[in-house]
CSV table of all heavy atoms in Angstrom, one decimal:
chain,number,residue,atom,x,y,z
A,1,LEU,N,-35.2,-12.6,-58.5
A,1,LEU,CA,-34.1,-13.3,-58.0
A,1,LEU,C,-33.0,-12.4,-57.6
A,1,LEU,O,-32.4,-12.6,-56.5
A,1,LEU,CB,-33.6,-14.3,-59.1
A,1,LEU,CG,-32.3,-15.1,-58.7
A,1,LEU,CD1,-32.5,-15.9,-57.4
A,1,LEU,CD2,-31.9,-16.0,-59.8
A,2,GLU,N,-32.8,-11.3,-58.3
A,2,GLU,CA,-31.8,-10.3,-57.9
A,2,GLU,C,-32.1,-9.7,-56.6
A,2,GLU,O,-31.2,-9.4,-55.8
A,2,GLU,CB,-31.7,-9.2,-59.0
A,2,GLU,CG,-31.1,-9.6,-60.3
A,2,GLU,CD,-32.0,-10.2,-61.3
A,2,GLU,OE1,-33.2,-10.5,-60.8
A,2,GLU,OE2,-31.7,-10.4,-62.5
A,3,GLU,N,-33.4,-9.4,-56.4
A,3,GLU,CA,-33.7,-8.8,-55.1
A,3,GLU,C,-33.7,-9.8,-53.9
A,3,GLU,O,-33.2,-9.3,-52.8
A,3,GLU,CB,-35.2,-8.3,-55.2
A,3,GLU,CG,-35.4,-7.1,-56.1
A,3,GLU,CD,-36.8,-6.7,-56.4
A,3,GLU,OE1,-37.7,-7.6,-56.3
A,3,GLU,OE2,-37.1,-5.6,-56.7
A,4,LYS,N,-33.9,-11.0,-54.2
A,4,LYS,CA,-33.8,-12.0,-53.1
A,4,LYS,C,-32.3,-12.2,-52.8
A,4,LYS,O,-32.0,-12.2,-51.6
A,4,LYS,CB,-34.4,-13.3,-53.6
A,4,LYS,CG,-35.9,-13.3,-53.6
A,4,LYS,CD,-36.5,-14.7,-54.1
A,4,LYS,CE,-38.0,-14.6,-54.1
A,4,LYS,NZ,-38.6,-15.9,-54.6
A,5,VAL,N,-31.5,-12.4,-53.8
A,5,VAL,CA,-30.0,-12.5,-53.5
A,5,VAL,C,-29.5,-11.3,-52.8
A,5,VAL,O,-28.6,-11.3,-52.0
A,5,VAL,CB,-29.3,-12.8,-54.8
A,5,VAL,CG1,-27.8,-12.7,-54.7
A,5,VAL,CG2,-29.7,-14.2,-55.3
A,6,GLY,N,-30.0,-10.1,-53.2
A,6,GLY,CA,-29.5,-8.8,-52.5
A,6,GLY,C,-29.9,-8.8,-51.1
A,6,GLY,O,-29.0,-8.3,-50.3
A,7,GLN,N,-31.0,-9.3,-50.7
A,7,GLN,CA,-31.3,-9.4,-49.3
A,7,GLN,C,-30.4,-10.2,-48.5
A,7,GLN,O,-30.1,-10.0,-47.3
A,7,GLN,CB,-32.8,-10.0,-49.1
A,7,GLN,CG,-33.9,-9.0,-49.4
A,7,GLN,CD,-33.8,-7.7,-48.6
A,7,GLN,OE1,-33.9,-7.7,-47.4
A,7,GLN,NE2,-33.8,-6.6,-49.3
A,8,MET,N,-29.7,-11.2,-49.2
A,8,MET,CA,-28.8,-12.1,-48.5
A,8,MET,C,-27.4,-11.5,-48.5
A,8,MET,O,-26.5,-12.1,-48.0
A,8,MET,CB,-28.8,-13.5,-49.3
A,8,MET,CG,-30.1,-14.2,-49.2
A,8,MET,SD,-30.2,-15.6,-50.3
A,8,MET,CE,-29.1,-16.7,-49.5
A,9,THR,N,-27.2,-10.3,-48.9
A,9,THR,CA,-25.9,-9.7,-49.1
A,9,THR,C,-25.7,-8.6,-48.0
A,9,THR,O,-26.5,-7.7,-47.9
A,9,THR,CB,-25.7,-9.1,-50.5
A,9,THR,OG1,-25.9,-10.1,-51.5
A,9,THR,CG2,-24.4,-8.4,-50.7
A,10,GLN,N,-24.6,-8.6,-47.3
A,10,GLN,CA,-24.3,-7.6,-46.3
A,10,GLN,C,-22.9,-7.0,-46.6
A,10,GLN,O,-21.9,-7.7,-46.8
A,10,GLN,CB,-24.3,-8.3,-44.9
A,10,GLN,CG,-24.0,-7.2,-43.8
A,10,GLN,CD,-24.0,-7.9,-42.4
A,10,GLN,OE1,-23.1,-8.7,-42.2
A,10,GLN,NE2,-24.9,-7.5,-41.5
A,11,LEU,N,-22.9,-5.6,-46.7
A,11,LEU,CA,-21.7,-4.9,-47.0
A,11,LEU,C,-21.2,-4.1,-45.7
A,11,LEU,O,-22.0,-3.7,-44.9
A,11,LEU,CB,-22.0,-3.9,-48.1
A,11,LEU,CG,-22.2,-4.5,-49.5
A,11,LEU,CD1,-22.5,-3.3,-50.4
A,11,LEU,CD2,-21.0,-5.3,-50.0
A,12,ASN,N,-19.9,-3.9,-45.7
A,12,ASN,CA,-19.4,-3.1,-44.7
A,12,ASN,C,-19.7,-1.6,-45.0
A,12,ASN,O,-19.7,-1.2,-46.1
A,12,ASN,CB,-17.8,-3.2,-44.6
A,12,ASN,CG,-17.2,-2.6,-43.3
A,12,ASN,OD1,-17.7,-2.9,-42.3
A,12,ASN,ND2,-16.2,-1.8,-43.5
A,13,ALA,N,-19.8,-0.8,-43.9
A,13,ALA,CA,-20.1,0.6,-44.1
A,13,ALA,C,-19.1,1.4,-45.1
A,13,ALA,O,-19.5,2.2,-45.8
A,13,ALA,CB,-20.3,1.4,-42.8
A,14,THR,N,-17.8,1.0,-44.9
A,14,THR,CA,-16.8,1.7,-45.6
A,14,THR,C,-16.9,1.3,-47.2
A,14,THR,O,-16.2,1.9,-47.9
A,14,THR,CB,-15.4,1.3,-45.1
A,14,THR,OG1,-15.2,-0.1,-45.1
A,14,THR,CG2,-15.2,1.9,-43.7
A,15,ALA,N,-17.6,0.3,-47.5
A,15,ALA,CA,-17.7,-0.1,-48.9
A,15,ALA,C,-18.7,0.8,-49.6
A,15,ALA,O,-18.7,0.9,-50.9
A,15,ALA,CB,-18.2,-1.6,-49.0
A,16,VAL,N,-19.6,1.5,-48.8
A,16,VAL,CA,-20.6,2.3,-49.5
A,16,VAL,C,-20.5,3.8,-49.2
A,16,VAL,O,-21.2,4.6,-49.7
A,16,VAL,CB,-22.1,1.8,-49.1
A,16,VAL,CG1,-22.2,0.4,-49.6
A,16,VAL,CG2,-22.3,1.9,-47.6
A,17,ALA,N,-19.6,4.1,-48.2
A,17,ALA,CA,-19.5,5.5,-47.7
A,17,ALA,C,-18.1,5.9,-47.5
A,17,ALA,O,-17.2,5.1,-47.2
A,17,ALA,CB,-20.4,5.6,-46.4
A,18,ASN,N,-17.9,7.2,-47.5
A,18,ASN,CA,-16.6,7.9,-47.1
A,18,ASN,C,-17.0,8.6,-45.8
A,18,ASN,O,-17.6,9.6,-45.8
A,18,ASN,CB,-16.1,8.8,-48.2
A,18,ASN,CG,-14.8,9.5,-47.8
A,18,ASN,OD1,-14.2,9.1,-46.8
A,18,ASN,ND2,-14.4,10.5,-48.5
A,19,GLY,N,-16.5,8.0,-44.7
A,19,GLY,CA,-17.0,8.5,-43.4
A,19,GLY,C,-18.5,8.2,-43.3
A,19,GLY,O,-18.9,7.0,-43.5
A,20,THR,N,-19.3,9.2,-43.0
A,20,THR,CA,-20.8,9.0,-43.0
A,20,THR,C,-21.5,9.5,-44.2
A,20,THR,O,-22.7,9.6,-44.2
A,20,THR,CB,-21.3,9.8,-41.7
A,20,THR,OG1,-21.0,11.2,-41.9
A,20,THR,CG2,-20.8,9.2,-40.4
A,21,GLU,N,-20.7,9.8,-45.3
A,21,GLU,CA,-21.3,10.3,-46.5
A,21,GLU,C,-21.4,9.1,-47.5
A,21,GLU,O,-20.3,8.6,-47.9
A,21,GLU,CB,-20.5,11.5,-47.1
A,21,GLU,CG,-20.6,12.7,-46.3
A,21,GLU,CD,-22.0,13.3,-46.1
A,21,GLU,OE1,-22.8,13.3,-47.1
A,21,GLU,OE2,-22.3,13.8,-45.0
A,22,ILE,N,-22.5,8.7,-47.9
A,22,ILE,CA,-22.6,7.6,-48.9
A,22,ILE,C,-22.1,8.1,-50.2
A,22,ILE,O,-22.5,9.3,-50.7
A,22,ILE,CB,-24.1,7.2,-49.0
A,22,ILE,CG1,-24.6,6.6,-47.7
A,22,ILE,CG2,-24.2,6.1,-50.1
A,22,ILE,CD1,-26.0,6.2,-47.7
A,23,THR,N,-21.2,7.4,-50.8
A,23,THR,CA,-20.6,7.8,-52.1
A,23,THR,C,-21.5,7.5,-53.3
A,23,THR,O,-22.3,6.6,-53.2
A,23,THR,CB,-19.2,7.1,-52.3
A,23,THR,OG1,-19.4,5.7,-52.4
A,23,THR,CG2,-18.3,7.4,-51.1
A,24,PRO,N,-21.3,8.1,-54.4
A,24,PRO,CA,-22.1,7.8,-55.6
A,24,PRO,C,-21.8,6.3,-56.0
A,24,PRO,O,-22.8,5.6,-56.4
A,24,PRO,CB,-21.5,8.7,-56.7
A,24,PRO,CG,-21.0,9.9,-55.9
A,24,PRO,CD,-20.5,9.4,-54.6
A,25,GLU,N,-20.6,5.8,-55.8
A,25,GLU,CA,-20.3,4.4,-56.1
A,25,GLU,C,-21.0,3.5,-55.1
A,25,GLU,O,-21.5,2.4,-55.5
A,25,GLU,CB,-18.8,4.2,-56.1
A,25,GLU,CG,-17.9,4.9,-57.1
A,25,GLU,CD,-17.7,6.4,-56.7
A,25,GLU,OE1,-18.0,6.7,-55.5
A,25,GLU,OE2,-17.3,7.1,-57.6
A,26,GLY,N,-21.0,3.9,-53.9
A,26,GLY,CA,-21.7,3.1,-52.9
A,26,GLY,C,-23.2,3.0,-53.1
A,26,GLY,O,-23.8,1.9,-53.0
A,27,GLU,N,-23.8,4.1,-53.5
A,27,GLU,CA,-25.3,4.1,-53.7
A,27,GLU,C,-25.6,3.3,-55.0
A,27,GLU,O,-26.5,2.5,-55.0
A,27,GLU,CB,-25.7,5.5,-54.0
A,27,GLU,CG,-27.2,5.6,-54.2
A,27,GLU,CD,-27.9,7.0,-54.2
A,27,GLU,OE1,-27.2,7.9,-53.8
A,27,GLU,OE2,-29.0,7.1,-54.7
A,28,LYS,N,-24.7,3.4,-56.0
A,28,LYS,CA,-24.9,2.6,-57.2
A,28,LYS,C,-24.8,1.1,-56.8
A,28,LYS,O,-25.6,0.3,-57.3
A,28,LYS,CB,-23.8,2.9,-58.2
A,28,LYS,CG,-24.0,2.1,-59.5
A,28,LYS,CD,-22.9,2.6,-60.5
A,28,LYS,CE,-23.0,1.7,-61.8
A,28,LYS,NZ,-22.0,2.1,-62.8
A,29,MET,N,-23.9,0.7,-56.0
A,29,MET,CA,-23.7,-0.7,-55.6
A,29,MET,C,-25.0,-1.2,-54.8
A,29,MET,O,-25.5,-2.3,-55.1
A,29,MET,CB,-22.4,-0.9,-54.8
A,29,MET,CG,-22.2,-2.3,-54.5
A,29,MET,SD,-20.4,-2.7,-54.1
A,29,MET,CE,-20.1,-1.5,-52.8
A,30,MET,N,-25.5,-0.3,-53.9
A,30,MET,CA,-26.7,-0.7,-53.2
A,30,MET,C,-27.9,-0.9,-54.1
A,30,MET,O,-28.6,-1.8,-53.9
A,30,MET,CB,-27.0,0.5,-52.2
A,30,MET,CG,-26.0,0.6,-51.0
A,30,MET,SD,-26.2,-0.6,-49.7
A,30,MET,CE,-27.8,-0.2,-49.1
A,31,ARG,N,-28.0,0.0,-55.1
A,31,ARG,CA,-29.2,-0.1,-56.0
A,31,ARG,C,-29.0,-1.3,-57.0
A,31,ARG,O,-29.9,-2.0,-57.2
A,31,ARG,CB,-29.3,1.3,-56.7
A,31,ARG,CG,-29.8,2.4,-55.8
A,31,ARG,CD,-30.1,3.7,-56.7
A,31,ARG,NE,-30.4,4.8,-55.8
A,31,ARG,CZ,-31.7,5.0,-55.4
A,31,ARG,NH1,-32.6,4.2,-55.7
A,31,ARG,NH2,-31.9,6.0,-54.7
A,32,THR,N,-27.8,-1.4,-57.6
A,32,THR,CA,-27.6,-2.4,-58.6
A,32,THR,C,-27.8,-3.8,-58.0
A,32,THR,O,-28.4,-4.7,-58.7
A,32,THR,CB,-26.2,-2.3,-59.1
A,32,THR,OG1,-26.0,-1.0,-59.7
A,32,THR,CG2,-25.9,-3.4,-60.2
A,33,TYR,N,-27.3,-4.0,-56.8
A,33,TYR,CA,-27.4,-5.4,-56.2
A,33,TYR,C,-28.4,-5.6,-55.1
A,33,TYR,O,-28.5,-6.6,-54.5
A,33,TYR,CB,-26.0,-5.8,-55.7
A,33,TYR,CG,-24.9,-5.8,-56.8
A,33,TYR,CD1,-24.0,-4.8,-57.0
A,33,TYR,CD2,-24.9,-6.9,-57.7
A,33,TYR,CE1,-23.1,-4.9,-58.0
A,33,TYR,CE2,-24.0,-7.1,-58.7
A,33,TYR,CZ,-23.1,-6.0,-58.9
A,33,TYR,OH,-22.2,-6.1,-59.9
A,34,LYS,N,-29.3,-4.5,-55.0
A,34,LYS,CA,-30.4,-4.6,-54.1
A,34,LYS,C,-30.0,-5.0,-52.7
A,34,LYS,O,-30.6,-5.8,-52.0
A,34,LYS,CB,-31.5,-5.5,-54.6
A,34,LYS,CG,-31.7,-5.6,-56.1
A,34,LYS,CD,-32.1,-4.3,-56.7
A,34,LYS,CE,-32.3,-4.4,-58.2
A,34,LYS,NZ,-32.5,-3.1,-58.8
A,35,VAL,N,-28.9,-4.5,-52.2
A,35,VAL,CA,-28.3,-4.9,-50.9
A,35,VAL,C,-29.2,-4.7,-49.7
A,35,VAL,O,-29.8,-3.7,-49.5
A,35,VAL,CB,-26.9,-4.1,-50.7
A,35,VAL,CG1,-26.3,-4.5,-49.3
A,35,VAL,CG2,-25.9,-4.5,-51.8
A,36,GLY,N,-29.3,-5.8,-48.9
A,36,GLY,CA,-30.3,-5.7,-47.8
A,36,GLY,C,-29.8,-5.4,-46.4
A,36,GLY,O,-30.6,-5.2,-45.5
A,37,SER,N,-28.4,-5.4,-46.3
A,37,SER,CA,-27.9,-5.2,-45.0
A,37,SER,C,-26.5,-4.5,-45.0
A,37,SER,O,-25.8,-4.7,-45.9
A,37,SER,CB,-27.8,-6.5,-44.2
A,37,SER,OG,-27.3,-6.3,-42.9
A,38,VAL,N,-26.2,-3.7,-44.0
A,38,VAL,CA,-24.9,-3.0,-43.8
A,38,VAL,C,-24.5,-3.1,-42.4
A,38,VAL,O,-25.3,-3.2,-41.5
A,38,VAL,CB,-25.0,-1.5,-44.3
A,38,VAL,CG1,-23.7,-0.8,-44.0
A,38,VAL,CG2,-25.5,-1.4,-45.7
A,39,LEU,N,-23.2,-3.2,-42.2
A,39,LEU,CA,-22.7,-3.3,-40.8
A,39,LEU,C,-21.5,-2.4,-40.6
A,39,LEU,O,-20.9,-1.9,-41.5
A,39,LEU,CB,-22.2,-4.8,-40.5
A,39,LEU,CG,-20.8,-5.2,-41.0
A,39,LEU,CD1,-20.3,-6.3,-40.0
A,39,LEU,CD2,-20.8,-5.6,-42.4
C-alpha cells in the first residue's frame, strides 16, 4: 500500500534537491514515501 500511495505522490524538485544536487533529506523522503513523480 505504501508503494501504491507513493506512486500517486508528486513532489516539487526543490523539495528533494538544492539546485540540481539531491539532498540527503530529499533522498530519504523519496525512499521513505516511495515517491513516483517529480516536477
Side-chain angles (χ1 to χ4, degrees):
L1 176 57
E2 290 87 348
E3 289 171 335
K4 290 179 179 180
V5 169
Q7 286 299 303
M8 299 170 67
T9 304
Q10 184 183 59
L11 291 176
N12 192 53
T14 57
V16 300
N18 181 11
T20 58
E21 295 297 322
I22 298 174
T23 63
E25 296 79 11
E27 180 169 350
K28 181 180 180 181
M29 187 158 52
M30 292 283 295
R31 291 185 183 275
T32 300
Y33 297 102
K34 325 298 182 188
V35 174
S37 182
V38 175
L39 83 151

